[in-house]
Amino acid sequence: MSIKEMSRRRFIEAMGAVSVIGATGLAGCGSQRAGGSGSASASGEIADTITFAQGADPRGLDPAYVDDGESAKVMSNIYDTVLKFDVETTEVLPSLGEMPDISDDGLTYTFKIREGVKFHDGTDCDANAIVTSITRQLEPNRTEDMPYASFVFGSESTNSGIASIEAPDATTLVITLRAPSTPFIRNMAMTLAAPIVAPSAIEAGDSNENPIGSGPYKFVSWTKGDSIVLEANEDYWDEEHKPQTKNAVFRIIAENSSRVTALNNGEVDMIDGIDASVVDTITGAGNELFEEDGMNINYMAFRNDSGVFADLEARRAFCQAVNVEEMVQSLYGDYAGVANSVMPLWMAPYDEDIQQTAYDPEAAQAKFAELGITSCTMLTYTNVRPYNSIGGQPLAEAIQGYLREVGVEMEIVSYDWTTYQTKVETDAFDCCLYGWVGDNGDPDNFMNLLADENISMNVGRYRNDEYNALIQQGLTTPDGDDRDAIYKQCEQMVADEMPWMLISHSKNLAAYAPSINNFYYHPTGVVHLELITKTA
């Protein structure tokens, strides 16, 4: 079995297996990480700078205030979390804290916090700092511009998440939950909301622009639309993950083809956001392709609370009008599969018996005529996304073509990704393209999106009390058959009520120069740069 096959099998087994704490996977090791021709120490001198090109600016660099992958990729190198994921899977490992002692009732988690860790400004990263970083995201402190706060830390209205957090001393962190939560351990390792921000940065009020963490790299500068520069944290506490390269640069290159050109010309070392059409160009130039089954969903959200698709029959007609299988094959080829589930098909508890609305253009045309629907508006993004490697505009135009065939004209309104995330919250629309990259390998992390009251998560404004009750039940139920049955009920409700039109699950695709060693694109969509080197 090849290293690539071993890595892929390890990944799928890791994501599907369930351990005593609900984490998955096997420990990663350097020999199974994709990369050049070997370690830089064996093949030559290590370059002092590595460059990664992505498609858009981060929305910000404080994990409390952002919800996007472009931000996460940078932040994962600046901050530490109380617990962390393995470098290749979502197995949960110790980080700033040891694995917690959990009370018999499943409510109280006591973490032993590592001694001597410093933030990049020299202040102490201890239990008190962790309390400060998390408390601002708890009720009543949290603000509306903290999109992941309720998702990660819960809320009083749903009787979920953190009831209290305290630091009895500098090395002890005690978190008490309102109700037992199976995903809580995984949530504490996530790249959004969970990373620990220095109290000094919070107090300064500019943590989104000038981040201070305790991670392997320090923030240096951010030139909007151009680049973000990081430098190695030479005092990093984790000896096994000390940064191997002095400087790390994130280049912002919006156009897919321009990123490919930059890689092939040697201007950058690593890129993501690529699609099938450029694979031959990349490999033909001697660069390497990273390919792995992704943990994501590419979907179209209907506006469920207003507009022409607030009616279930109109949503059904729309789904009947679009030949999703044909469209996915045409647009993505072998690098994505049709989504028959909100969750990736390899993630328990996927149920193959649940069927989405079948393609039936004649029925769609008749129903649209009966309802008097002749037009609608779609919002979309222009950038490529991890779950949509061709970008939102071509996907929107493909859907527009199917709608036109059944007598409905769809207006497409497009924005760059950063602007788009605001527009789906503020502007009127009938449907919009969106997607999700899983944060922690737990089914709740996908299914909970349709129960979240925050519209940056639940962009279609779907509200269903029965569905929400199932989600809360899933949170408190231990991993196993009973919990799987709950999420299967959720999946059936999505298929029946169609708040989304499911489209595809994409493979994670990235590319890197042959001089790059130890490259791995994590299933959560981030790239940890600390172990990556470049042979000079």
Side-chain angles (χ1 to χ4, degrees):
M1 182 181 294
S2 69
I3 288 175
K4 176 65 180 175
E5 290 168 337
M6 291 169 62
S7 179
R8 184 173 185 274
R9 190 180 75 173
R10 270 174 23 92
F11 171 64
I12 294 173
E13 290 175 348
M15 301 302 293
V18 178
S19 76
V20 68
I21 63 168
T24 55
L26 303 172
C29 60
S31 64
Q32 289 179 305
R33 293 168 64 86
S37 57
S39 67
S41 59
S43 56
E45 183 180 351
I46 296 175
D48 64 3
T49 301
I50 52 176
T51 303
F52 184 96
Q54 61 185 45
D57 269 308
R59 295 191 76 188
L61 294 175
D62 183 329
Y65 296 106
V66 297
D67 60 358
D68 66 305
E70 307 295 16
S71 301
K73 278 178 280 193
V74 181
M75 293 188 306
S76 64
N77 294 281
I78 296 173
Y79 298 104
D80 288 314
T81 42
V82 176
L83 302 174
K84 68 179 181 180
F85 295 128
D86 168 56
V87 293
E88 293 185 15
T89 72
T90 54
E91 180 191 4
V92 181
L93 304 172
S95 184
L96 291 175
E98 297 178 2
M99 299 304 295
D101 291 326
I102 306 173
S103 62
D104 291 341
D105 61 5
L107 296 179
T108 302
Y109 289 66
T110 302
F111 297 86
K112 181 68 175 177
I113 301 302
R114 190 177 302 276
E115 295 185 57
V117 177
K118 299 288 185 181
F119 287 111
H120 299 153
D121 63 353
T123 56
D124 291 331
C125 181
D126 57 15
N128 295 301
I130 294 171
V131 169
T132 298
S133 185
I134 292 177
T135 298
R136 65 191 174 129
Q137 299 179 76
L138 306 181
E139 297 167 318
N141 304 311
R142 84 171 49 133
T143 53
E144 291 184 356
D145 54 355
M146 294 179 173
Y148 254 71
S150 62
F151 200 70
V152 175
F153 300 121
S155 62
E156 187 173 355
S157 64
T158 58
N159 192 41
S160 64
I162 295 177
S164 67
I165 180 171
E166 59 181 341
D169 56 61
T171 61
T172 306
L173 178 71
V174 180
I175 295 177
T176 302
L177 305 182
R178 294 186 179 93
S181 174
T182 299
F184 179 69
I185 285 287
R186 300 181 182 111
N187 287 353
M188 293 300 287
M190 284 166 47
T191 309
L192 298 169
I196 304 306
V197 178
S200 58
I202 297 170
E203 293 166 8
D206 64 348
S207 52
N208 234 2
E209 301 283 338
N210 293 288
I212 301 175
S214 61
Y217 280 93
K218 300 178 181 181
F219 174 77
V220 176
S221 64
W222 181 2
T223 303
K224 297 290 180 67
D226 182 75
S227 62
I228 296 171
V229 178
L230 310 179
E231 67 177 6
N233 177 10
E234 296 179 356
D235 299 319
Y236 191 50
W237 57 269
D238 188 344
E239 292 294 333
E240 292 185 1
H241 291 84
K242 273 188 176 292
Q244 299 298 300
T245 303
K246 182 178 179 180
N247 305 302
V249 178
F250 285 86
R251 284 276 309 278
I252 313 303
I253 304 177
E255 293 296 327
N256 186 359
S257 59
S258 298
R259 282 195 306 283
V260 173
T261 299
L263 176 68
N264 289 347
N265 290 345
E267 299 168 22
V268 302
D269 304 309
M270 301 159 279
I271 64 173
D272 68 353
I274 60 178
D275 63 46
S277 68
V278 299
V279 168
D280 288 346
T281 302
I282 289 168
T283 56
N287 292 305
E288 304 286 343
L289 181 71
F290 179 91
E291 175 188 344
E292 196 89 273
D293 286 335
M295 186 170 64
N296 57 60
I297 175 68
N298 180 25
Y299 65 88
M300 191 203 75
F302 293 106
R303 186 73 183 256
N304 288 262
D305 63 337
S306 64
V308 297
F309 298 122
D311 180 79
L312 173 61
E313 292 305 309
R315 298 197 296 273
R316 177 175 289 110
F318 192 111
C319 293
Q320 289 174 325
V322 180
N323 189 335
V324 174
E325 183 174 357
E326 176 185 73
M327 182 174 69
V328 169
Q329 179 60 40
S330 174
L331 295 178
Y332 305 111
D334 295 333
Y335 295 102
V338 174
N340 294 314
S341 166
V342 174
M343 296 178 289
L345 304 189
W346 44 259
M347 180 185 285
Y350 167 65
D351 187 346
E352 63 183 10
D353 293 330
I354 295 175
Q355 301 294 318
Q356 304 303 319
T357 302
Y359 176 56
D360 189 344
E362 293 182 359
Q365 186 166 15
K367 179 57 68 173
F368 278 137
E370 176 187 330
L371 296 173
I373 296 174
T374 59
S375 63
C376 61
T377 300
M378 171 185 279
L379 294 188
T380 190
Y381 49 87
T382 55
N383 304 76
V384 298
R385 305 297 303 144
Y387 43 78
N388 178 12
S389 61
I390 63 170
Q393 186 70 27
L395 177 56
E397 290 172 357
I399 295 172
Q400 182 186 54
Y402 285 110
L403 267 287
R404 184 171 292 131
E405 290 179 2
V406 297
V408 177
E409 285 297 324
M410 187 175 77
E411 178 188 9
I412 300 171
V413 183
S414 304
Y415 300 95
D416 67 90
W417 175 248
T418 305
T419 304
Y420 178 72
Q421 289 191 290
T422 299
K423 292 295 185 178
V424 293
E425 297 182 27
T426 61
D427 289 13
F429 61 88
D430 296 308
C431 55
C432 70
L433 293 179
Y434 224 68
W436 184 255
V437 177
D439 296 295
N440 61 14
D442 191 277
D444 171 77
N445 189 248
F446 281 83
M447 304 310 299
N448 204 338
L449 292 168
L450 285 160
D452 203 299
E453 295 182 0
N454 192 319
I455 58 176
S456 68
M457 299 289 180
N458 188 359
V459 293
R461 283 80 160 172
Y462 177 66
R463 299 286 184 265
N464 184 299
D465 291 341
E466 181 183 355
Y467 185 91
N468 293 356
L470 285 170
I471 291 297
Q472 295 309 310
Q473 187 180 352
L475 283 171
T476 61
T477 303
D479 282 320
D481 292 342
D482 289 344
R483 190 167 191 246
D484 288 352
I486 292 168
Y487 291 113
K488 288 178 182 179
Q489 291 182 66
C490 290
E491 286 271 28
Q492 188 63 61
M493 290 185 71
V494 173
D496 292 341
E497 298 200 3
M498 293 162 282
W500 295 349
M501 183 180 75
L502 306 185
I503 299 174
S504 61
H505 299 294
S506 297
K507 290 189 175 184
N508 284 338
L509 293 179
Y512 55 96
S515 56
I516 288 294
N517 307 279
N518 290 327
F519 178 87
Y520 198 86
Y521 200 92
H522 196 267
T524 58
V526 302
V527 177
H528 296 284
L529 300 179
E530 66 268 17
L531 298 181
I532 296 177
T533 60
K534 178 181 179 180
T535 305

